[in-house]
Amino acid sequence: MGTALVYDEEMTKYKLLWVDPACKIEVPERLTASYEALVRSGLSGRCVSVPARQASDAEILLVHSEEYLEAVKKTPYMTLEDLKEFTLQYGDVYFHPNIYHCAKLAAGSVLQLVDSIMTGKVRNGIALVRPPGHHSMRGAANGFCVFNNVAIAARYAKQKYGVKRVLIVDWDIHHGQGVQYCFEDDPSVLYFSWHRYEHQKFWPHLRESDYDSVGKGSGAGFNINVPWNKVGMENSDYLSVFCHVLLPAAYEFCPDLVLVCAGFDSAIGDPEGEMCATPDIFAHLTHLLMNLAGGKLCAALEGGYNLTSLAQSVCQTVQTLLGDPLPRLANLRSPCISALESLQCARSAHRQYWSFLKHAANPPLPEISTKPIKLAKEEEEPAETAEEESSGEAKVWPEPPQRSCPPVCSASVLPDDVAGADGLKRLSTSGALQPRLVNKLKNHFTKAADDGDAVATISRLHTLMEKMLTNEIGNGLALVPDVAAATMCFAQDLASDLVDRVLVVCVGNATGLNYVTTDGRALVVHISGEDGEERKSKYYIPVRLKQGCGDTSGFLQAVLGLLLPLGYEYDPGLVLLGRMPESGVGDGMWQQLIGLLRGFAKGHTLVLMQANEEACMGPTASALLGHPAAPLQELGAPFPQDGDALERLRERLQADWKMLQTTGRMDC
Ligand SMILES: CC(O)(O)CCCCCNCCCN
Ligand SMILES: [Zn+2]
């Protein structure tokens, strides 16, 4: 199933008609720059084009009041003076004779996306729209927004398709207060937003944008705010919040549909956000949401005011929706202290609502000042410099890396063209494997199985990996006689011969895995139901689930809160996933694991399974081919001792692994 793209150039046909420094950045070129970049890159041609349409009155009234709609209906007939007058009653927004028409198209475009996804015409999609939506409220326009496109879409999906739970992820750099107000007492809509806040000094200066706004009444816990109190946030800050707040809550919420308020003013170069995350981060943010709700993801453009970074970010997002391998995120740093404080505050505020946080550390939080903030005059409306950049140096960043298109054969099961012992000889003579290595491998395997098929296995694995690294195939699945032996020998000898770092993930009980690499060429994460061998090295991490790998909520917490951050920090060139016999891990969880691991190493994942596990081959191949994992059924709380043990393990490891941190040093 494909990816829908909704775009209509009619939505470029309104603009600011008078001088207003607060609104001048919201220009029609935002849409044309985004769309033309998709056309130039060939991405628009790979999407299913879905036409825009005007939202009906009834659809707009799902969120807005009649008097507001009636008032906006009058704007097409207003004189310039009337429009200016009309605009004065709202904040940081402007009207135009054609903006009502465009606002209906913007809202209708997102509804078209919802229809295409809910009727199974496409898997996911994006709507390039303006005016944006997430600031507009029931009875008011605000922040360039007229109708709340995404809030209307959420209500529409529930009403028309009986969707039970909707997750709204708002990665725009501004707080979508309109969405928060709309759903704050509604437990069927989980709203997550991060936003530039600077302790209420940043627009829209709302006290309720802080982390302690968790929702009201039965909606308590279903509103998650992560305020950024400093500018300059980077990729590692964003990923930490996804791994340690959003994703665990999202999986526990188990949505039927994911809507994204896709604002790209959170990217580097944007004059509003002043952040430093690079456009390719949106490839990963999108990917991390794509295994929820069976892949039903609907993104709607919100902000983004630097046309270069906006266009690059839109392309990164669309290319991921299409299923292409992700770019590797180079040299992630430790999340900054301010980000860690925000992370810790959000986790603490939600501790009582989410089982994944039940065992989280609970250090005291700083006092939130309740006194109204006093904005210094210049902070109210920064004087517009002639050139935005001239106030600060113009940001420059590298063009996002060219992302390989999906290889022809994206998952290959042990090509049988390399059979028997001669295969290994061929490899060794071809120089692919030095003779010394051949002997080492052979004695590794001979104890596992008789010489013949052990040798055959080795040569097949090597072939599979070579094809992967030449991107001839994306990933692979290998059935081997002895998974533990194959995994270790592969990690120790084969893989480290061809890539700089191998992430080895072992699922299920096994011995002989505590293979110590001091040079860090392999990182082994072993998730099992029994004590792994004790940790001798930073690069061998046994994760024990007392309830075994069949405990999906414990397993998932280990994956999201430990494995993902470790993987991002380690940044492997290859992922090796070994499924030990009788691991007990469920098919759904297994597919989610594969889906998430595909985000590393440009999707180069090699799965090793015991030869007799045919039953699991189907689900494995499907996940390797990029089909969305089956949604996990409702997750209970992880067993107390597991939840507690995982939190303790994370705290112990964070000295070595910075991406595992979730608390800032907060002197209260
Ligand atoms: C969709 C969106 O969240 O990007 C809209 C942002 C509105 C910002 C209003 N203040 C602008 C101050 C100009 N320096
Ligand atoms: Zn914004």
Side-chain angles (χ1 to χ4, degrees), residues 4-19:
L5 171 61
V6 188
Y7 170 77
D8 188 318
E9 71 162 349
E10 179 60 22
M11 285 181 271
T12 66
K13 297 195 168 74
Y14 78 91
K15 62 182 181 180
L16 181 58
L17 296 175
W18 51 80
V19 174

Side-chain angles (χ1 to χ4, degrees), residues 134-135 172-174 265 303 305:
H134 69 155
H135 296 299
D172 185 288
I173 205 59
H174 297 92
D265 42 16
Y305 307 97

Side-chain angles (χ1 to χ4, degrees), residues 96-118:
H96 176 282
N98 196 34
I99 198 169
Y100 168 54
H101 179 210
C102 296
K104 285 191 288 181
L105 283 172
S109 298
V110 189
L111 302 184
Q112 288 285 82
L113 262 193
V114 171
D115 285 345
S116 310
I117 289 164
M118 295 311 293

Side-chain angles (χ1 to χ4, degrees), residues 69 376 442 511:
L69 177 54
K442 275 167 95 170
T511 54

